[in-house]
Amino acid sequence: MARVLTGERLEKELARLEGMLAYEREYAWASAVCGIDEAGRGPLAGPVVAGAAILPKDCKILYLNDSKKLSEKRREELFLEIQEKAVAYAVGVVGPERIDQINILQATYEAMRQAVRKLSIKPQVLLNDAVVIPGLPEELRQVKIIHGDAKSLSIAAASVLAKVTRDHMMAAYDQQYPAYGFAKHKGYGTAAHIQALKEHGACPIHRRSFIGKFVEAAGADEEQEI
């Protein structure tokens, strides 16, 4: 369904988007500027996913913003539009077993490196949401931007790619493990999720390094009942 904005509302939206191109314009000398962001650092279950997006110069995608500020419906629409309009895009995925092995920060970096390496076009500049990614070539310039997903259109696009990809994965996991409600809470530590953990224990996509206190608490409760 086409989005219709006219008059003052359209002007306001275009001005907002223009403001989100400041970093892209600063590095306009680069042949390709790539936004990087992640989704899923905090949940108790599922992967961490990184998105990478290279948009055309002066690209403006109406309503594109930090994925956390968008409704699910809007994210799904933008997910398709970003893929259609991007010069190149990719996602990297690191699962719960690897997260437990190397910790969530290192797993996030690994997912980001995957996404960058999977791009069909090699970027010269990375605009990163609040991190500098280790293990990438030194000649690849990295720009760390705090709250970058709200300040850079390229990072916002990467944010949407990562979030929607992960949400789709969690919806699929919900079909495999229906007792936990993954489609609803996406693996985050909601009261319902924690209660399901206590009742059913962990399933294969739970991050063991994240859920110890909940599982231990459940075990202690069972011992007291016995």
Side-chain angles (χ1 to χ4, degrees), residues 41-77:
R41 284 183 68 168
L44 307 179
V48 62
V49 177
I54 301 174
L55 299 178
K57 291 185 186 297
D58 299 319
C59 177
K60 292 186 178 73
I61 298 175
L62 293 180
Y63 303 110
L64 181 54
N65 206 339
D66 171 7
S67 64
K68 297 184 290 297
K69 297 180 179 179
L70 302 168
S71 68
E72 182 176 358
K73 182 175 183 293
R74 182 76 78 197
R75 284 195 301 265
E76 291 286 347
E77 291 172 349

Side-chain angles (χ1 to χ4, degrees), residues 142-221:
Q142 299 192 51
V143 183
K144 175 181 175 180
I145 306 170
I146 304 301
H147 302 305
D149 45 10
K151 296 176 181 177
S152 158
L153 212 65
S154 300
I155 298 178
S159 166
V160 170
L161 290 172
K163 170 66 174 164
V164 176
T165 297
R166 188 178 187 282
D167 284 357
H168 289 174
M169 294 179 72
M170 295 309 293
Y173 283 130
D174 186 67
Q175 298 295 310
Q176 289 181 260
Y177 311 107
Y180 299 92
F182 291 134
K184 195 167 194 179
H185 53 65
K186 308 300 189 290
Y188 283 87
T190 63
H193 186 189
I194 291 168
Q195 184 59 37
L197 255 178
K198 291 177 178 179
E199 289 179 10
H200 305 288
C203 79
I205 70 160
H206 277 105
R207 302 173 182 179
R208 307 289 165 154
S209 55
F210 280 49
I211 64 169
K213 62 181 180 180
F214 303 119
V215 174
E216 286 168 11
D221 290 343

Side-chain angles (χ1 to χ4, degrees), residues 96-115:
E97 288 186 10
R98 184 64 173 159
I99 291 169
D100 288 338
Q101 287 173 355
I102 62 175
N103 77 47
I104 186 60
L105 178 59
Q106 296 305 318
T108 300
Y109 290 150
E110 191 166 290
M112 289 176 167
R113 288 191 294 267
Q114 281 183 26

